[in-house]
Amino acid sequence: MADAALKRIESFQYPAAHLGHLTENQQAALESFKNLCQDEGYYKPAQVGGRPDPSHDDETMLRYLRARRFNPKDAFAQFKDTEEWRKENNLVEWYDTIDVKEYDDTRRLYPQWTGRRDRRGIPVYVFEVAHLNAKNMSAYDKSIASGATVSHKVSPKMLRLFALYENLTRFVMPLCSAITDRTHPETPISQSNNIVDISKVGLKQFWNLKGHMQDASTLATAHYPETLDRIFIIGAPSFFPTVWGWVKRWFDPITVSKIFILSHADMKPTLEKYIDPANIPKKYGGNLDFEFGMMPILEPAIEEALKWDHPSIQGGSRTIPTGPIKWEESADGTVTAVAVGTENKVPRRSVVAELAHPVSIKAMHGSLVTSNTPITEDELALTTAGTATQPPDSSIPDNAEEPAGEEESPSETTLPIRENKAQETRAGTSSTRFEQQAMTHAHGQLAEGTPAVNDHGFGDKTVTMEPSTVGQAPKDVSVPPAEEPPAPGYLEQAKGAVGSAATAVTAAAGSAASAVAGVLPVGGKNTETKVEEVKEKTEEEKEQDRRVDAAKPEVVEGFLRSNP
């Protein structure tokens, strides 16, 4: 039992290390963190200045502490950075005024709430990466260019994306917290689960999305920490396991442990362990008629908890309208969901629904916790990390090196792919890499499994391995004048290309991460769902995808060389 308790504490998985289930040390760290934030002017407790509520609820503060392993000073550095970022970009006011069409254009491309929860009450999101194709992204960029959203601190594309995170933290998570038919109703919901579908996504699409997804992931991790519970990757292409051994080294081990890479055979039984079949979309083995692009199909427990005023209608059922929505509490204690934003430059303010049972905003955020329910052994079994489903490290050997100066010959395939001729390994870069590190900047790092450390500020440090430089011994790089220097290799680009798949995952959910849903007009009219159609690939494009998926790493390298 002691080992199980230790596993629960160290995992930081719901409800362990969340409000109502803190150890004495964790509770002390929370108080220390709040005092530090108050002393520095970034947190105001209730009653200070006549405030009825604190400026930030405890579960929000705990997200920063969990992200920094309950180190108050490190958590404060990140919290301070986020508070200043939110103030610079007027996040609170901006969410209330964003153009509804701009919001919906963004919602259609990123993780969307299904209207369902997992077995613990955490909202389930679906993200189909294939929708981030060249055609849709081009249309999205044009929408941004003609839109009204302007920011001098963050690009309009990123600012729009954060509207979805605001919707997650200000509407979806409080709603799920207010539903009490769960094992730990005293503990608010502060995370999301994500089913990420990367089927029908080719290597080139991953490569083209790399920069955008890296930017989104970096900002989401910095300003919306610990909003992700698990990521289930579905439909991984054949080349994905080949590079996973490299990709996983570019992320924090805690983030990697949340990622489940599921084969088609493992998809249904694994998802059902965490999510009831009634809440899993049919295309992933469940019973829910949910398609990417739809508004949430609210589960019965959520539907019963709402008294509707101005819902949208989808397939004959009531659902929430698209656009930003937030919770408000009136003087008589009524808690209502209010649709805000701007339509045709006119502010929108419409009451969508109110909570059927009297649950205060404080309770929705866990501010009224008085008693705790015990964590059972069955729940501990669900804290299993996703590492068991990930490809083995041997997918790409540690001594794999970037080729240099190899000759190339065209492949017989119709794709612009070139195959590399065999070549000898350069001295000092493979089997002798440890003993020849002494003269390099990597001395003592590779043997310990800790490549170069990157400090992102606010206490967040990650490690990076650069196969083209780490561990190489000094060597003669002089070239006869008549020869041109060898062409740079592209194997690392291939690794980085697919690495964007994992980056896409962590941002979404979203996430956080990467976090929302829908496609319907606002109002109570009986309208039918219209799911955005994705252009069917031509037979030639399908054949190209099949060839890329089946290609060996050497062929993938040639593909990237021809498509920089």
Side-chain angles (χ1 to χ4, degrees):
M1 185 64 185
D3 290 341
L6 178 61
K7 176 182 178 182
R8 180 181 73 241
I9 293 169
E10 289 303 314
S11 71
F12 290 173
Q13 294 189 38
Y14 182 91
H18 290 248
L19 196 63
H21 295 278
L22 302 176
T23 66
E24 291 184 6
N25 288 339
Q26 290 168 351
Q27 183 66 48
L30 175 61
E31 297 305 320
S32 176
F33 176 43
K34 291 195 295 184
N35 290 336
L36 178 58
C37 292
Q38 181 179 357
D39 292 343
E40 296 293 337
Y42 290 89
Y43 171 83
K44 294 181 177 63
Q47 307 308 321
V48 173
R51 298 179 59 92
D53 304 314
S55 59
H56 302 78
D57 61 84
D58 283 357
E59 185 58 33
T60 296
M61 305 298 281
L62 281 168
R63 286 199 289 110
Y64 290 86
L65 276 173
R66 288 194 297 271
R68 295 292 160 252
R69 308 296 292 181
F70 281 86
N71 183 313
K73 290 184 178 180
D74 289 348
F76 171 71
Q78 183 173 3
F79 183 75
K80 174 178 179 290
D81 184 66
T82 295
E83 287 298 290
E84 293 177 350
W85 174 82
R86 294 180 65 84
K87 183 177 180 180
E88 288 172 353
N89 291 286
N90 298 314
L91 257 293
V92 174
E93 177 183 353
W94 173 79
Y95 181 73
D96 290 343
T97 58
I98 183 177
D99 183 83
V100 173
K101 183 179 182 303
E102 288 187 19
Y103 180 99
D104 196 53
D105 287 344
T106 307
R107 180 196 60 76
R108 292 171 183 265
L109 294 177
Y110 292 102
Q112 302 175 358
W113 184 37
T114 60
R116 302 301 170 111
R117 301 169 297 156
D118 73 358
R119 295 186 184 277
R120 298 163 299 167
I122 296 176
V124 176
Y125 283 75
V126 169
F127 183 23
E128 293 186 9
V129 181
H131 285 265
L132 294 180
N133 55 40
K135 177 182 177 181
N136 289 341
M137 291 304 289
S138 176
Y140 183 52
D141 289 340
K142 291 180 181 178
S143 169
I144 289 175
S146 60
T149 298
V150 178
S151 173
H152 298 292
K153 301 296 182 180
V154 179
S155 70
K157 182 181 291 186
M158 289 294 103
L159 200 57
R160 283 193 189 185
L161 177 59
F162 290 123
L164 309 186
Y165 281 96
E166 291 292 299
N167 183 267
L168 170 67
T169 59
R170 298 175 64 177
F171 175 71
V172 177
M173 293 194 309
L175 173 58
C176 292
S177 297
I179 309 302
T180 57
D181 67 336
R182 49 196 177 93
T183 307
H184 302 285
E186 77 283 355
T187 303
I189 302 298
S190 60
Q191 295 177 308
S192 66
N193 274 322
N194 289 259
I195 298 174
V196 180
D197 187 346
I198 59 175
S199 62
K200 302 179 183 179
V201 180
L203 180 60
K204 186 174 181 179
Q205 184 176 351
F206 278 140
W207 179 252
N208 290 339
L209 290 172
K210 181 182 178 183
H212 170 66
M213 287 302 181
Q214 285 179 332
D215 290 343
S217 177
T218 299
L219 287 173
T221 300
H223 303 308
Y224 297 90
E226 285 294 303
T227 54
L228 176 67
D229 182 64
R230 292 186 182 90
I231 302 168
F232 300 100
I233 299 182
I234 306 296
S238 58
F239 58 77
F240 191 78
T242 305
V243 299
W244 178 247
W246 289 96
V247 171
K248 65 184 297 184
R249 299 172 193 169
W250 302 342
F251 297 95
D252 184 277
I254 295 177
T255 299
V256 172
S257 70
K258 295 179 178 181
I259 300 174
F260 291 69
I261 303 173
L262 305 181
S263 66
H264 182 73
D266 292 333
M267 175 180 67
K268 187 175 186 294
T270 301
L271 290 178
E272 287 183 351
K273 286 172 54 180
Y274 298 93
I275 308 169
D276 189 280
N279 299 329
I280 301 174
K282 285 185 174 180
K283 68 186 301 183
Y284 306 124
N287 304 321
L288 181 64
D289 282 316
F290 180 86
E291 295 290 337
F292 193 76
M294 295 175 66
M295 293 300 291
I297 302 176
L298 301 177
E299 62 178 280
I302 297 178
E303 172 77 17
E304 293 171 3
L306 298 173
K307 290 182 180 179
W308 294 97
D309 195 339
H310 293 91
S312 285
I313 305 299
Q314 174 178 251
S317 299
R318 293 171 296 192
T319 187
I320 59 175
T322 188
I325 303 178
K326 65 178 184 178
W327 293 101
E328 293 183 353
E329 184 172 4
S330 61
D332 64 358
T334 302
V335 177
T336 57
V338 181
V340 293
T342 303
E343 294 180 301
N344 298 319
K345 299 183 178 181
V346 177
R348 176 182 77 161
R349 183 174 177 81
S350 173
V351 175
V352 177
E354 69 178 62
L355 290 178
H357 304 289
V359 179
S360 69
I361 293 284
K362 286 184 178 181
M364 294 169 74
H365 289 280
S367 299
L368 300 180
V369 174
T370 58
S371 62
N372 304 327
T373 55
I375 301 176
T376 65
E377 290 297 321
D378 290 341
E379 290 179 277
L380 289 178
L382 292 180
T383 63
T384 305
T387 50
T389 68
Q390 297 170 7
D393 291 340
S394 58
S395 296
I396 294 182
D398 282 343
N399 62 358
E401 290 294 325
E402 177 185 54
E406 72 276 10
E407 297 181 11
E408 299 173 342
S409 59
S411 166
E412 294 182 359
T413 178
T414 57
L415 288 174
I417 294 178
R418 300 176 184 271
E419 294 200 27
N420 304 315
K421 292 185 177 181
Q423 65 172 38
E424 295 182 359
T425 304
R426 292 176 293 175
T429 60
S430 56
S431 61
T432 60
R433 64 191 185 284
F434 293 153
E435 65 186 56
Q436 298 202 32
Q437 282 181 355
M439 300 291 290
T440 72
H441 69 282
H443 175 60
Q445 292 188 350
L446 192 56
E448 297 295 329
T450 55
V453 177
N454 304 309
D455 190 340
H456 302 289
F458 52 81
D460 191 15
K461 296 181 180 180
T462 59
V463 296
T464 305
M465 176 174 287
E466 301 177 33
S468 61
T469 60
V470 173
Q472 293 183 5
K475 49 186 170 284
D476 184 6
V477 294
S478 61
V479 179
E483 297 182 14
E484 292 190 3
Y490 280 75
L491 182 56
E492 185 177 357
Q493 289 193 29
K495 299 162 191 167
V498 184
S500 63
T503 305
V505 168
T506 55
S511 274
S514 224
V516 260
V519 206
L520 295 178
V522 177
K525 298 180 180 179
N526 186 5
T527 56
E528 292 296 323
T529 301
K530 182 178 180 182
V531 180
E532 182 179 8
E533 297 182 359
V534 178
K535 183 179 179 182
E536 184 70 21
K537 291 185 178 181
T538 65
E539 287 302 319
E540 180 180 359
E541 290 173 330
K542 292 179 180 178
E543 178 60 22
Q544 288 181 347
D545 285 348
R546 285 192 290 269
R547 290 179 179 275
V548 171
D549 288 345
K552 296 180 179 179
E554 295 84 0
V555 179
V556 173
E557 176 188 348
F559 174 80
L560 288 177
R561 184 183 296 282
S562 301
N563 294 269

PDB file of all heavy atoms in Angstrom, residues 342-357:
ATOM      1  N   THR A 342     -18.292  39.205 -30.231  1.00  0.00           N
ATOM      2  CA  THR A 342     -18.806  40.246 -31.116  1.00  0.00           C
ATOM      3  C   THR A 342     -19.294  39.630 -32.420  1.00  0.00           C
ATOM      4  O   THR A 342     -18.611  38.786 -33.008  1.00  0.00           O
ATOM      5  CB  THR A 342     -17.720  41.287 -31.428  1.00  0.00           C
ATOM      6  OG1 THR A 342     -17.241  41.841 -30.198  1.00  0.00           O
ATOM      7  CG2 THR A 342     -18.259  42.401 -32.301  1.00  0.00           C
ATOM      8  N   GLU A 343     -20.481  40.042 -32.874  1.00  0.00           N
ATOM      9  CA  GLU A 343     -21.027  39.600 -34.157  1.00  0.00           C
ATOM     10  C   GLU A 343     -21.307  40.822 -35.008  1.00  0.00           C
ATOM     11  O   GLU A 343     -22.070  41.702 -34.610  1.00  0.00           O
ATOM     12  CB  GLU A 343     -22.308  38.790 -33.961  1.00  0.00           C
ATOM     13  CG  GLU A 343     -22.090  37.459 -33.257  1.00  0.00           C
ATOM     14  CD  GLU A 343     -23.383  36.687 -33.084  1.00  0.00           C
ATOM     15  OE1 GLU A 343     -24.313  37.224 -32.446  1.00  0.00           O
ATOM     16  OE2 GLU A 343     -23.463  35.549 -33.584  1.00  0.00           O
ATOM     17  N   ASN A 344     -20.659  40.887 -36.183  1.00  0.00           N
ATOM     18  CA  ASN A 344     -20.808  42.040 -37.071  1.00  0.00           C
ATOM     19  C   ASN A 344     -20.523  43.342 -36.334  1.00  0.00           C
ATOM     20  O   ASN A 344     -21.246  44.336 -36.465  1.00  0.00           O
ATOM     21  CB  ASN A 344     -22.213  42.066 -37.678  1.00  0.00           C
ATOM     22  CG  ASN A 344     -22.506  40.844 -38.521  1.00  0.00           C
ATOM     23  OD1 ASN A 344     -21.641  40.376 -39.277  1.00  0.00           O
ATOM     24  ND2 ASN A 344     -23.714  40.310 -38.399  1.00  0.00           N
ATOM     25  N   LYS A 345     -19.472  43.301 -35.495  1.00  0.00           N
ATOM     26  CA  LYS A 345     -18.999  44.449 -34.728  1.00  0.00           C
ATOM     27  C   LYS A 345     -19.970  44.890 -33.628  1.00  0.00           C
ATOM     28  O   LYS A 345     -19.799  45.964 -33.040  1.00  0.00           O
ATOM     29  CB  LYS A 345     -18.688  45.632 -35.656  1.00  0.00           C
ATOM     30  CG  LYS A 345     -17.600  45.327 -36.673  1.00  0.00           C
ATOM     31  CD  LYS A 345     -17.277  46.551 -37.523  1.00  0.00           C
ATOM     32  CE  LYS A 345     -16.163  46.238 -38.507  1.00  0.00           C
ATOM     33  NZ  LYS A 345     -15.801  47.403 -39.347  1.00  0.00           N
ATOM     34  N   VAL A 346     -20.978  44.047 -33.362  1.00  0.00           N
ATOM     35  CA  VAL A 346     -21.938  44.351 -32.298  1.00  0.00           C
ATOM     36  C   VAL A 346     -21.702  43.378 -31.149  1.00  0.00           C
ATOM     37  O   VAL A 346     -21.682  42.162 -31.369  1.00  0.00           O
ATOM     38  CB  VAL A 346     -23.387  44.220 -32.803  1.00  0.00           C
ATOM     39  CG1 VAL A 346     -24.379  44.458 -31.658  1.00  0.00           C
ATOM     40  CG2 VAL A 346     -23.632  45.189 -33.946  1.00  0.00           C
ATOM     41  N   PRO A 347     -21.514  43.859 -29.922  1.00  0.00           N
ATOM     42  CA  PRO A 347     -21.280  42.961 -28.788  1.00  0.00           C
ATOM     43  C   PRO A 347     -22.427  41.963 -28.609  1.00  0.00           C
ATOM     44  O   PRO A 347     -23.604  42.332 -28.705  1.00  0.00           O
ATOM     45  CB  PRO A 347     -21.181  43.918 -27.592  1.00  0.00           C
ATOM     46  CG  PRO A 347     -20.753  45.215 -28.189  1.00  0.00           C
ATOM     47  CD  PRO A 347     -21.427  45.282 -29.528  1.00  0.00           C
ATOM     48  N   ARG A 348     -22.077  40.711 -28.377  1.00  0.00           N
ATOM     49  CA  ARG A 348     -23.063  39.664 -28.138  1.00  0.00           C
ATOM     50  C   ARG A 348     -23.132  39.358 -26.647  1.00  0.00           C
ATOM     51  O   ARG A 348     -22.109  39.174 -26.001  1.00  0.00           O
ATOM     52  CB  ARG A 348     -22.679  38.391 -28.904  1.00  0.00           C
ATOM     53  CG  ARG A 348     -23.616  37.210 -28.644  1.00  0.00           C
ATOM     54  CD  ARG A 348     -23.170  35.955 -29.377  1.00  0.00           C
ATOM     55  NE  ARG A 348     -22.048  35.290 -28.740  1.00  0.00           N
ATOM     56  CZ  ARG A 348     -21.698  34.010 -28.957  1.00  0.00           C
ATOM     57  NH1 ARG A 348     -22.396  33.288 -29.816  1.00  0.00           N
ATOM     58  NH2 ARG A 348     -20.654  33.492 -28.349  1.00  0.00           N
ATOM     59  N   ARG A 349     -24.338  39.279 -26.142  1.00  0.00           N
ATOM     60  CA  ARG A 349     -24.515  38.879 -24.751  1.00  0.00           C
ATOM     61  C   ARG A 349     -25.844  38.151 -24.645  1.00  0.00           C
ATOM     62  O   ARG A 349     -26.911  38.769 -24.685  1.00  0.00           O
ATOM     63  CB  ARG A 349     -24.461  40.068 -23.802  1.00  0.00           C
ATOM     64  CG  ARG A 349     -24.578  39.645 -22.336  1.00  0.00           C
ATOM     65  CD  ARG A 349     -24.379  40.803 -21.373  1.00  0.00           C
ATOM     66  NE  ARG A 349     -24.580  40.350 -20.007  1.00  0.00           N
ATOM     67  CZ  ARG A 349     -23.672  39.715 -19.280  1.00  0.00           C
ATOM     68  NH1 ARG A 349     -22.488  39.443 -19.806  1.00  0.00           N
ATOM     69  NH2 ARG A 349     -23.930  39.331 -18.053  1.00  0.00           N
ATOM     70  N   SER A 350     -25.770  36.841 -24.526  1.00  0.00           N
ATOM     71  CA  SER A 350     -26.977  36.032 -24.512  1.00  0.00           C
ATOM     72  C   SER A 350     -26.830  34.929 -23.470  1.00  0.00           C
ATOM     73  O   SER A 350     -25.827  34.211 -23.455  1.00  0.00           O
ATOM     74  CB  SER A 350     -27.222  35.399 -25.889  1.00  0.00           C
ATOM     75  OG  SER A 350     -28.293  34.490 -25.856  1.00  0.00           O
ATOM     76  N   VAL A 351     -27.826  34.810 -22.581  1.00  0.00           N
ATOM     77  CA  VAL A 351     -27.807  33.745 -21.588  1.00  0.00           C
ATOM     78  C   VAL A 351     -28.159  32.438 -22.282  1.00  0.00           C
ATOM     79  O   VAL A 351     -29.243  32.286 -22.843  1.00  0.00           O
ATOM     80  CB  VAL A 351     -28.792  34.025 -20.444  1.00  0.00           C
ATOM     81  CG1 VAL A 351     -28.853  32.833 -19.484  1.00  0.00           C
ATOM     82  CG2 VAL A 351     -28.393  35.285 -19.704  1.00  0.00           C
ATOM     83  N   VAL A 352     -27.239  31.485 -22.246  1.00  0.00           N
ATOM     84  CA  VAL A 352     -27.439  30.198 -22.900  1.00  0.00           C
ATOM     85  C   VAL A 352     -28.219  29.251 -22.002  1.00  0.00           C
ATOM     86  O   VAL A 352     -29.177  28.602 -22.428  1.00  0.00           O
ATOM     87  CB  VAL A 352     -26.080  29.562 -23.280  1.00  0.00           C
ATOM     88  CG1 VAL A 352     -26.292  28.189 -23.907  1.00  0.00           C
ATOM     89  CG2 VAL A 352     -25.301  30.474 -24.209  1.00  0.00           C
ATOM     90  N   ALA A 353     -27.802  29.164 -20.753  1.00  0.00           N
ATOM     91  CA  ALA A 353     -28.459  28.259 -19.795  1.00  0.00           C
ATOM     92  C   ALA A 353     -28.016  28.634 -18.394  1.00  0.00           C
ATOM     93  O   ALA A 353     -27.073  29.406 -18.200  1.00  0.00           O
ATOM     94  CB  ALA A 353     -28.087  26.808 -20.105  1.00  0.00           C
ATOM     95  N   GLU A 354     -28.706  28.087 -17.411  1.00  0.00           N
ATOM     96  CA  GLU A 354     -28.283  28.235 -16.028  1.00  0.00           C
ATOM     97  C   GLU A 354     -28.215  26.851 -15.390  1.00  0.00           C
ATOM     98  O   GLU A 354     -28.835  25.898 -15.876  1.00  0.00           O
ATOM     99  CB  GLU A 354     -29.234  29.134 -15.247  1.00  0.00           C
ATOM    100  CG  GLU A 354     -30.605  28.536 -15.006  1.00  0.00           C
ATOM    101  CD  GLU A 354     -31.487  29.454 -14.175  1.00  0.00           C
ATOM    102  OE1 GLU A 354     -31.776  30.580 -14.643  1.00  0.00           O
ATOM    103  OE2 GLU A 354     -31.871  29.039 -13.052  1.00  0.00           O
ATOM    104  N   LEU A 355     -27.432  26.740 -14.335  1.00  0.00           N
ATOM    105  CA  LEU A 355     -27.310  25.460 -13.650  1.00  0.00           C
ATOM    106  C   LEU A 355     -28.617  25.139 -12.933  1.00  0.00           C
ATOM    107  O   LEU A 355     -29.163  25.979 -12.217  1.00  0.00           O
ATOM    108  CB  LEU A 355     -26.161  25.503 -12.650  1.00  0.00           C
ATOM    109  CG  LEU A 355     -24.748  25.547 -13.236  1.00  0.00           C
ATOM    110  CD1 LEU A 355     -23.713  25.635 -12.117  1.00  0.00           C
ATOM    111  CD2 LEU A 355     -24.472  24.338 -14.110  1.00  0.00           C
ATOM    112  N   ALA A 356     -29.123  23.937 -13.153  1.00  0.00           N
ATOM    113  CA  ALA A 356     -30.409  23.546 -12.579  1.00  0.00           C
ATOM    114  C   ALA A 356     -30.342  23.444 -11.065  1.00  0.00           C
ATOM    115  O   ALA A 356     -31.322  23.699 -10.370  1.00  0.00           O
ATOM    116  CB  ALA A 356     -30.858  22.216 -13.177  1.00  0.00           C
ATOM    117  N   HIS A 357     -29.197  23.056 -10.549  1.00  0.00           N
ATOM    118  CA  HIS A 357     -29.043  22.920  -9.103  1.00  0.00           C
ATOM    119  C   HIS A 357     -28.161  24.059  -8.588  1.00  0.00           C
ATOM    120  O   HIS A 357     -27.210  24.470  -9.260  1.00  0.00           O
ATOM    121  CB  HIS A 357     -28.425  21.572  -8.759  1.00  0.00           C
ATOM    122  CG  HIS A 357     -29.209  20.418  -9.303  1.00  0.00           C
ATOM    123  ND1 HIS A 357     -30.427  20.050  -8.801  1.00  0.00           N
ATOM    124  CD2 HIS A 357     -28.938  19.573 -10.329  1.00  0.00           C
ATOM    125  CE1 HIS A 357     -30.896  19.019  -9.483  1.00  0.00           C
ATOM    126  NE2 HIS A 357     -30.005  18.702 -10.417  1.00  0.00           N
TER     127      HIS A 357
END
